[in-house]
Amino acid sequence: MLSRYKPFDNNSLALGRIVIAALSVAFLASFTPQASSPQTSPVIEVLADHDSRFKMAGQRIPSITVHAGEMVTLRITAIKAKNRNRDGSIHGFALLRAKDRSHVPGWDFLLRPGVQEIMEKAPEAGEYVVVCTVICSDDHDGMNMKFTVLP
Ligand SMILES: [Cu+2]
């Protein structure tokens, strides 16, 4: 008889506990820092030039240095050398590991005439080399540059 008039029976007590638990989780979550998004590098300007060379302003020997895992933004200006691919690309920009010349997934871009912006996540720390993947001229084999990824 009495249980009928109890303000909190077992079911509503259990429900109350669940609500309190849920509120606590929400409350604590509001204080938990968000998972940090990857750092973004400053924009790196590269010229893929008509003489089948990569060039960077202010660098006699161009080389790129970034940090592992950061988002790298490249702004590449491509100017046609002697040849172009059937698909219209005039140079390429692919990343190889220096130690075994193996390709780095995601880092293989074909360049069209003009300016293109590319964003890609930096790979693990190490020494890499950028190579052109379009046979852009007789000098194509020399179209490469150093790419260093710091920890
Ligand atoms: Cu090239």
Side-chain angles (χ1 to χ4, degrees):
M1 277 305 270
L2 240 178
S3 69
R4 197 190 249 189
Y5 299 101
K6 260 172 133 178
F8 300 107
D9 59 23
N10 280 342
N11 282 343
S12 53
L13 268 179
L15 186 64
R17 287 200 189 102
I18 289 168
V19 169
I20 288 167
L23 287 174
S24 309
V25 168
F27 183 73
L28 288 174
S30 68
F31 286 94
T32 308
Q34 296 296 307
S36 58
S37 53
Q39 293 284 305
T40 304
S41 76
V43 176
I44 298 167
E45 304 254 9
V46 178
L47 175 62
D49 211 354
H50 61 86
D51 57 357
S52 293
R53 289 295 179 271
F54 290 114
K55 296 173 186 174
M56 292 176 70
Q59 298 191 25
R60 198 177 54 82
I61 299 171
S63 87
I64 293 174
T65 301
V66 298
H67 287 91
E70 76 180 348
M71 285 308 295
V72 176
T73 305
L74 298 164
R75 187 179 295 137
I76 308 177
T77 303
I79 299 174
K80 185 178 169 286
K82 198 172 164 203
N83 312 310
R84 73 174 74 222
N85 269 4
R86 279 198 200 184
D87 67 1
S89 49
I90 54 171
H91 293 292
F93 186 106
L95 204 55
L96 308 180
R97 295 180 186 88
K99 63 174 189 289
D100 58 4
R101 309 275 297 177
S102 60
H103 278 267
V104 178
W107 280 87
D108 191 354
F109 311 105
L110 288 170
L111 307 176
R112 302 300 177 116
V115 182
Q116 43 242 287
E117 240 180 57
I118 293 166
M119 266 189 102
E120 190 58 57
K121 195 175 174 186
E124 63 190 19
E127 289 298 331
Y128 297 81
V129 58
V130 175
V131 297
C132 178
T133 50
V134 171
I135 312 297
C136 51
S137 76
D138 295 341
D139 250 353
H140 157 78
D141 283 347
M143 189 164 180
N144 51 58
M145 78 174 142
K146 209 174 138 180
F147 189 107
T148 303
V149 182
L150 303 173

